């Protein structure tokens, strides 16, 4: 066994992998979404910033600044999650805590739609909002154990379901757009049929730590793998 006092337990850091430091947010960055050469970030400072992380001049400070900034006055509240609509870089959907989602047009930097879900009888805080590619559905995961579905065209909630026994922390749609993956602090990952909304598989995974369990899930883009990350400091990959 190597001597841990003298040998680095991790791979050596390669400074060449670092490309650019994007400057603009003044507080924690909650979520990112990238399509082509457009990156969108949401922060606890209330702002939504649009970037081009692949601009040519990597040494120019201007190239590290955001192209535009939405909700800079915090008029909508604090954003928690963001996603591009149908994997195109013209519109984004952004969740704002326990109350609503906003649809933004990035070309005009204006709000073009609103999706309300606030319920005073429960904690409806939204952890994740995503756009289902190839459809008009917006899907979001919430503290009150529910997954909610909204129609992009009407702006109405079209379906909701209790998906877990504790807060629903993350969701992901598979590349075929047939299945939805969800995670929760109840230590489970569930696979759903998007057409009939039935749960077709459940996996118990990760240990609880400070009342949290699974924080994120993801599908592999081309292979039949899924992954999860938990409060127990473990990343797991499933076949």
């Amino acid at each position: 066994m190597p001597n841990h006092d003298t040998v680095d337990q991790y791979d050596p850091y390669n400074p060449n992998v670092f490309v650019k430091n994007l400057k603009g947010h003044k507080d924690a960055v909650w979520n990112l979404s990238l399509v082509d050469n457009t990156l969108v970030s949401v922060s606890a400072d209330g702002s939504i910033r649009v970037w081009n992380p692949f601009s040519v001049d990597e040494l120019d400070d201007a190239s590290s600044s955001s192209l535009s900034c939405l909700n800079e006055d915090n008029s909508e509240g604090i954003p928690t999650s963001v996603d591009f609509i149908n994997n195109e870089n013209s519109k984004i959907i952004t969740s704002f805590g326990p109350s609503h989602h906003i649809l933004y047009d990035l070309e005009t930097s204006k709000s073009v739609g609103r999706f309300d879900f606030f319920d005073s009888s429960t904690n409806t805080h939204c952890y994740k909002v995503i756009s289902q590619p190839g459809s008009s559905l917006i899907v979001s995961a919430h503290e009150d154990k529910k997954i909610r579905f909204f129609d992009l065209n009407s702006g109405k909630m079209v379906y909701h379901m209790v998906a877990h026994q504790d807060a629903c922390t993350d969701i992901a749609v598979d590349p075929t757009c047939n299945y939805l993956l969800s995670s929760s602090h109840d230590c489970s990952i569930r696979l759903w049929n998007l057409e009939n909304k039935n749960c077709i598989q459940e996996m118990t995974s990760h240990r609880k730590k400070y009342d949290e369990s699974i924080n994120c899930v993801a599908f592999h883009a081309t292979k039949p793998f899924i992954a999860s990350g938990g409060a127990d400091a473990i990343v797991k990959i499933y076949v």
Side-chain angles (χ1 to χ4, degrees):
M1 292 291 290
N3 186 336
H4 295 308
D5 294 328
T6 59
V7 177
D8 190 353
Q9 301 178 45
Y10 304 95
D11 289 336
Y13 171 68
N14 180 1
N16 294 326
V17 301
F18 176 77
V19 176
K20 185 181 299 183
N21 182 21
L22 301 176
K23 305 171 185 177
H25 288 300
K26 300 175 182 177
D27 207 333
V29 176
W30 293 132
N31 195 215
L32 301 168
S33 189
L34 174 69
V35 167
D36 298 329
N37 62 345
T38 304
L39 174 72
V40 177
S41 58
V42 295
S43 168
D45 65 13
S47 68
I48 305 160
R49 293 188 177 268
V50 183
W51 319 79
N52 179 1
F54 307 112
S55 53
V56 176
D57 191 351
E58 297 171 2
L59 300 178
D60 183 4
D61 286 341
S63 71
S64 298
S65 301
S66 58
L67 303 176
S68 62
C69 183
L70 311 174
N71 195 50
E72 199 165 11
D73 59 357
N74 289 8
S75 59
E76 296 291 349
I78 303 298
T80 55
S81 178
V82 65
D83 193 26
F84 285 93
I85 299 296
N86 286 322
N87 289 327
E88 298 177 357
N89 60 7
S90 58
K91 289 185 175 68
I92 58 170
I93 186 73
T94 306
S95 62
F96 288 91
S99 56
H100 62 286
H101 307 313
I102 292 290
L103 179 66
Y104 287 101
D105 186 322
L106 293 186
E107 293 181 359
T108 63
S109 298
K110 300 293 184 182
S111 166
V112 293
R114 180 186 175 104
F115 308 82
D116 292 297
F117 54 81
F118 179 72
D119 183 347
S120 59
S121 66
T122 185
N123 184 354
T124 52
H125 179 86
C126 178
Y127 287 107
K128 187 65 173 288
V129 62
I130 60 174
S131 164
Q132 181 183 339
S135 81
S136 62
L137 276 184
I138 301 298
V139 190
S140 51
H142 298 261
E143 172 70 27
D144 62 357
K145 314 172 189 177
K146 291 182 179 180
I147 296 175
R148 291 176 167 85
F149 298 80
F150 301 84
D151 181 73
L152 188 62
N153 299 319
S154 68
K156 303 294 184 182
M157 183 167 61
V158 293
Y159 190 77
H160 64 92
M161 62 185 184
V162 175
H164 288 274
Q165 298 177 22
D166 204 334
C168 186
T169 56
D170 197 18
I171 48 177
V173 175
D174 82 305
T176 69
C177 299
N178 292 320
Y179 303 102
L180 178 73
L181 197 65
S182 64
S183 63
S184 171
H185 290 323
D186 65 7
C187 304
S188 75
I189 298 170
R190 292 184 176 180
L191 184 67
W192 306 85
N193 183 308
L194 269 173
E195 183 176 359
N196 57 29
K197 309 299 188 295
N198 288 336
C199 179
I200 57 178
Q201 188 173 0
E202 178 179 359
M203 296 174 285
T204 300
S205 185
H206 296 278
R207 294 169 296 169
K208 273 211 169 189
K209 185 176 182 180
Y210 303 120
D211 294 324
E212 294 188 5
S213 179
I214 307 173
N215 293 317
C216 56
V217 286
F219 282 101
H220 192 283
T222 58
K223 300 182 184 299
F225 300 148
I226 63 173
S228 62
D232 55 4
I234 295 175
V235 173
K236 295 186 177 184
I237 299 175
Y238 316 82
V239 179

